[in-house]
């Protein structure tokens, strides 16, 4: 059994901190199986002959030792809107007003409360910022900003009768 050198491990971790799609794969992110296959096929040519028979389980152990999870995405929040605090306070006040109305048992014919949200998974969305790659010892997964741009539309149709 070949011992995997520290240099080969570093090469593998560096590879895992990039996206599989950047290497021509249809997958956006690496799976450990795909990473092992890629390392077997390209590691020896990169000077890491010890990776010629690399298996998925060993990839998992190497990535775990470096706290890298290339198959995961962690969302982060970057506040770009200078009016965010004011808008957030307004939304929270509305939620509180609804709670007060419910507690006061206001007659249903006096107030209509309508709340809706989009149906997840039914829209075409795109990123507004590039994903941040994993960094050993800092964050294990790819980081993706929570904001997105819409590439499709959603129609909300409702009929209210009073």
């Amino acid at each position: 059994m070949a011992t995997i050198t520290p240099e080969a491990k570093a090469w593998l971790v560096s590879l895992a901190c990039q996206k599989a799609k950047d290497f021509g794969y249809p997958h956006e992110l690496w799976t450990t199986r795909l990473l092992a296959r890629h390392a077997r096929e390209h590691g020896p040519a990169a000077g890491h002959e010890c990776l010629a028979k690399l298996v998925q389980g060993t990839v998992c152990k190497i990535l775990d030792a470096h706290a890298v999870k290339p198959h995961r995405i962690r969302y982060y929040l970057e506040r770009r809107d200078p009016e965010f605090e004011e808008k957030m306070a307004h939304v929270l006040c509305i939620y509180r007003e609804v709670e007060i109305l419910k507690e006061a048992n206001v007659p249903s014919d006096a107030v209509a409360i309508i709340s809706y949200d989009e149906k997840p998974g039914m829209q075409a969305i795109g990123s507004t910022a590039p994903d941040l790659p994993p960094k050993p010892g800092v964050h294990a997964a790819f980081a993706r900003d929570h904001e997105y741009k819409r590439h499709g539309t959603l129609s909300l149709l409702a009929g209210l009768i009073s």
Side-chain angles (χ1 to χ4, degrees):
M1 176 178 233
T3 300
I4 299 176
T5 66
E7 294 80 14
K9 290 178 183 179
W11 181 84
L12 183 68
V13 170
S14 174
L15 184 64
C17 291
Q18 300 172 64
K19 290 191 172 185
K21 70 178 185 171
D22 295 339
F23 291 87
Y25 294 105
H27 308 69
E28 180 183 14
L29 304 176
W30 292 106
T31 62
T32 51
R33 179 172 287 134
L34 179 61
L35 195 54
R37 187 178 86 207
H38 184 87
R40 282 192 305 271
E41 293 172 0
H42 300 279
H48 307 294
E49 189 62 39
C50 58
L51 297 178
K53 295 185 179 184
L54 184 67
V55 295
Q56 181 182 3
T58 305
V59 169
C60 292
K61 289 175 186 173
I62 292 169
L63 296 180
D64 284 347
H66 289 84
V68 173
K69 299 179 186 320
H71 59 285
R72 297 189 63 197
I73 294 178
R74 179 185 57 86
Y75 287 88
Y76 66 94
L77 175 63
E78 183 178 314
R79 292 190 181 153
R80 295 186 185 102
D81 186 349
E83 299 173 15
F84 175 80
E85 297 288 334
E86 182 181 335
K87 291 176 181 178
M88 178 185 68
H90 181 72
V91 169
L92 293 175
C93 284
I94 290 172
Y95 284 143
R96 182 67 182 132
E97 288 173 14
V98 168
E99 188 178 330
I100 291 169
L101 287 172
K102 285 182 175 181
E103 289 172 357
N105 290 321
V106 174
S108 61
D109 60 344
V111 176
I113 300 169
I114 301 171
S115 177
Y116 68 92
D117 195 1
E118 62 202 10
K119 185 174 182 180
M122 297 301 292
Q123 56 185 325
I125 61 174
S127 299
T128 58
D131 289 346
L132 302 176
K135 288 186 180 176
V138 179
H139 52 85
F142 276 92
R144 179 170 291 161
D145 188 23
H146 81 288
E147 283 191 25
Y148 56 87
K149 58 185 165 190
R150 297 173 190 263
H151 296 295
T153 60
L154 177 70
S155 297
L156 175 65
L157 306 173
L160 303 172
I161 301 173
S162 63

